[in-house]
Amino acid sequence: MTLTKEEEQQTQLIGHNDLAHKSLLQSDALYQYILDTSVHPREHEKLKELREMTEKHPWNLMATPPDEGQLLSMLLKLMNAKHTMEIGVYTGYSLLSTALALPHDGKILALDVNREYYELGLPIIQKAGVSHKIDFREGPALRLLDDLLKDENNKGIFDFIFVDADKDNYLNYHKRVIELVKIGGLIGYDNTLWNGSVVAPPDAPLMGYVKRYRGHVMELNKYLAQDSRIEICQLPVGDGITLCRRVI
Amino acid sequence: MATEEQQKSQASFGIKEIGHKPLLQSDALYQYILETSVYPREHECLRELREITQTHPWNIIATPADEGQLLSMLLKLMHAKNTLEIGVFTGYSLLSTALALPPDGKILALDINREYYELGLPIIEKAGVGNKIDFREGPALPFLDEMLKDEKNKGSFDFVFVDADKNNYMNYHQRVIELVKVGGLIGYDNTLWAGSVAAPPDAPFMDYIKPLRGFVIELNKYLAQDSRIEICQLPVGDGITLCRRII
């Protein structure tokens, strides 16, 4: 099937095309190698089911890919995390990865503007036997975070906070989650390499959604690098994830 | 028969020089990560060590700065105290580790050759962490076997970093899996082998890639089915596979 000129131009734009090929690596072949060799054989069957369902969804690009889910799981277990927060849920792949990694009495506060997509994934999360760990709240996160911070007892109560939401609000989230995560705890910011567009020249052909938020992502990266309250590590997993360990 | 020029340009799978590991979609993206998130945070002694290593003819075997930063993060998240490193070269990962451990942290560091370690040692001393390091020269396998004769050494390490001869990784694994504690971490370096693991067997590889590629592929398959560990394979450096011991 030959592509129309428009389709051709679309595929040459900088940006990820779908969830199954969401990587920043030298080739898709290398990414598929990692998935086939080290990720899929270890993927929980409920995570696989959730992923396959999500791959059919029109917004599937937003989902956490399975290699990133595996990384989150590893980190949570190394840290013996028990109490976490997630901002941005979509159908729940990172949420289910987290819930499977926490101990039986682990708890996750999960925030999303829209419960519709969460409810697509919820039956699968329930089948996995871990939905009792999740406290889902629908609505804009900033308001909820500010409410949490009104109570001094909420400061430093989270072991891990995963921020995977609207990029133009990441700096606003940062100012709040830095107080909610415990000292020694971890914040993860997703999409910090933004389809690789962080290095594209300003006039490069970017997909619409890439162009809109690129500046915000670059601004966040610069800010995190100089924020002395954290130590950082920026990994080229998924669309780029920056780990920030709070030190003061 | 291709000319030498043609062979060189066709050999597209292989590491060119330190800091230019080609696992990412572009060099520019890798440099962005280094310049934005790594170098501004790099300890001055690590930078000094990296700069002297860059002038060394074998510089490509050194741990790159982004990987040093990852090791540091992991060690701190785990509250690691007692670690083992197999393969030292000039000591970049060793110094990264030493800086991340608490004042009473200890690292057992093994390498067949102390010559390169001695290039880096003055900088490690300058960083004030030389006292955490116990360096032993010699082949690692006999040393590990000696250690395992004493039951007290089993499960005595929080973290083990294996960055040595790829044809022995499976042999190292059979030993370090007993030396690391349950819940502890093993890291195997170079498990994506310049991306060659995903290439067809007859692709044009640089000389050093071909002889060891099979061992790396075999290790990856083995780790994926080893039920004593949970794994995570990251495209950092030349590929690092983290293995958390669970039984």
Side-chain angles (χ1 to χ4, degrees):
Chain A
M1 180 196 113
T2 50
L3 298 170
T4 64
K5 198 150 186 182
E6 218 175 66
E7 283 164 341
E8 243 182 60
Q9 279 177 345
Q10 185 66 27
T11 58
Q12 280 159 18
L13 294 177
I14 293 171
H16 297 300
N17 284 306
D18 56 41
L19 175 59
H21 304 277
K22 188 174 167 185
S23 92
L24 296 169
L25 304 187
Q26 62 178 210
S27 69
D28 189 53
L30 183 59
Y31 182 53
Q32 297 308 320
Y33 173 86
I34 295 172
L35 292 179
D36 292 338
T37 307
S38 305
V39 181
H40 292 158
R42 298 296 194 126
E43 193 184 25
H44 191 283
E45 54 173 1
K46 294 292 160 256
L47 279 171
K48 178 171 181 206
E49 194 181 327
L50 184 51
R51 175 169 56 82
E52 287 174 345
M53 178 204 77
T54 305
E55 272 166 8
K56 300 197 194 90
H57 194 271
W59 290 22
N60 65 74
L61 255 188
M62 292 205 315
T64 300
D67 48 318
E68 191 172 359
Q70 195 184 45
L71 169 64
L72 292 178
S73 176
M74 171 74 67
L75 291 169
L76 290 163
K77 291 181 185 185
L78 287 174
M79 299 174 62
N80 294 310
K82 202 157 141 176
H83 195 193
T84 81
M85 181 188 337
E86 171 164 303
I87 302 173
V89 173
Y90 185 46
T91 57
Y93 193 95
S94 55
L95 183 57
L96 178 54
S97 299
T98 301
L100 289 166
L102 297 189
H104 186 72
D105 58 344
K107 292 271 173 275
I108 309 160
L109 179 61
L111 316 179
D112 200 297
V113 283
N114 189 324
R115 73 177 308 131
E116 181 191 334
Y117 309 129
Y118 170 61
E119 282 174 352
L120 286 177
L122 186 53
I124 301 173
I125 295 176
Q126 284 165 335
K127 253 196 282 183
V130 290
S131 59
H132 65 280
K133 301 181 191 178
I134 298 167
D135 176 7
F136 179 89
R137 312 281 183 90
E138 186 183 23
L142 283 177
R143 196 176 315 147
L144 201 123
L145 296 174
D146 283 336
D147 273 342
L148 275 176
L149 283 167
K150 283 180 185 152
D151 182 353
E152 283 294 309
N153 290 325
N154 284 329
K155 293 192 178 177
I157 61 166
F158 294 98
D159 300 310
F160 176 66
I161 298 178
F162 188 47
V163 182
D164 187 11
D166 40 335
K167 313 307 159 205
D168 51 338
N169 264 320
Y170 270 32
L171 278 177
N172 295 324
Y173 293 138
H174 186 61
K175 293 191 167 63
R176 292 149 174 85
V177 303
I178 190 71
E179 294 198 66
L180 291 165
V181 77
K182 73 179 188 191
I183 292 176
L186 199 65
I187 304 166
Y189 288 104
D190 201 26
N191 305 98
T192 61
L193 292 173
W194 204 228
N195 301 255
S197 72
V198 290
V199 294
D203 59 346
L206 306 174
M207 286 183 186
Y209 76 95
V210 176
K211 195 166 188 172
R212 204 169 309 132
Y213 297 109
R214 182 170 167 267
H216 294 287
V217 174
M218 293 177 73
E219 188 190 15
L220 173 79
N221 291 341
K222 281 208 194 89
Y223 186 87
L224 295 177
Q226 58 77 55
D227 186 349
S228 55
R229 298 168 296 182
I230 52 174
E231 283 172 356
I232 67 172
C233 178
Q234 185 172 34
L235 300 173
V237 175
D239 195 31
I241 176 172
T242 302
L243 305 175
C244 308
R245 196 181 71 95
R246 182 179 176 188
V247 297
I248 52 168
Chain B
M1 167 83 179
T3 63
E4 208 183 286
E5 282 276 356
Q6 284 172 326
Q7 279 178 346
K8 272 198 189 139
S9 66
Q10 279 164 19
S12 52
F13 291 94
I15 299 169
K16 295 193 189 79
E17 61 198 83
I18 190 174
H20 289 274
K21 316 261 178 174
L23 289 186
L24 302 189
Q25 57 182 213
S26 68
D27 251 8
L29 185 60
Y30 183 54
Q31 293 306 315
Y32 173 87
I33 294 171
L34 291 177
E35 277 153 27
T36 307
S37 306
V38 181
Y39 293 152
R41 299 296 195 124
E42 193 185 26
H43 191 284
E44 53 176 359
C45 292
L46 278 171
R47 185 176 71 245
E48 195 181 330
L49 183 51
R50 177 168 54 83
E51 284 169 355
I52 61 142
T53 303
Q54 219 143 337
T55 62
H56 194 281
W58 287 20
N59 62 66
I60 61 161
I61 73 174
T63 301
D66 51 323
E67 192 173 356
Q69 194 183 46
L70 170 64
L71 292 179
S72 176
M73 170 75 68
L74 291 169
L75 290 163
K76 290 182 185 185
L77 288 174
M78 299 173 63
H79 304 291
K81 206 158 137 174
N82 198 15
T83 80
L84 167 63
E85 173 164 303
I86 302 172
V88 173
F89 188 46
T90 57
Y92 192 94
S93 57
L94 183 57
L95 178 54
S96 298
T97 301
L99 289 167
L101 298 189
D104 57 345
K106 292 270 172 276
I107 310 160
L108 179 59
L110 315 179
D111 200 299
I112 43 166
N113 190 324
R114 72 178 308 130
E115 180 190 333
Y116 309 127
Y117 169 61
E118 282 175 353
L119 285 177
L121 186 53
I123 300 173
I124 292 175
E125 304 276 16
K126 221 197 304 186
V129 291
N131 59 311
K132 298 181 190 176
I133 298 165
D134 178 4
F135 179 89
R136 310 289 182 92
E137 186 182 24
L141 282 176
F143 192 86
L144 297 174
D145 285 335
E146 268 307 302
M147 286 196 74
L148 282 167
K149 286 183 179 154
D150 182 353
E151 285 295 310
K152 280 202 257 74
N153 285 327
K154 293 189 177 177
S156 64
F157 293 99
D158 302 307
F159 177 68
V160 179
F161 188 49
V162 183
D163 188 13
D165 40 335
K166 314 306 159 207
N167 51 308
N168 266 319
Y169 270 33
M170 291 282 281
N171 295 322
Y172 293 138
H173 186 62
Q174 302 314 336
R175 291 149 175 87
V176 304
I177 191 70
E178 295 199 65
L179 290 168
V180 77
K181 73 179 188 191
V182 174
L185 199 66
I186 305 167
Y188 287 104
D189 202 27
N190 304 99
T191 61
L192 291 174
W193 206 227
S196 68
V197 293
D202 58 348
F205 300 124
M206 283 188 183
D207 285 346
Y208 77 94
I209 291 288
K210 199 164 183 177
L212 299 171
R213 179 174 169 273
F215 292 107
V216 175
I217 290 174
E218 186 193 16
L219 174 80
N220 291 341
K221 279 206 194 99
Y222 186 86
L223 296 177
Q225 59 77 55
D226 186 349
S227 55
R228 299 168 296 180
I229 53 175
E230 284 173 354
I231 67 172
C232 178
Q233 185 172 34
L234 300 174
V236 174
D238 195 28
I240 176 172
T241 302
L242 305 176
C243 309
R244 195 178 72 94
R245 182 179 175 187
I246 55 174
I247 52 169

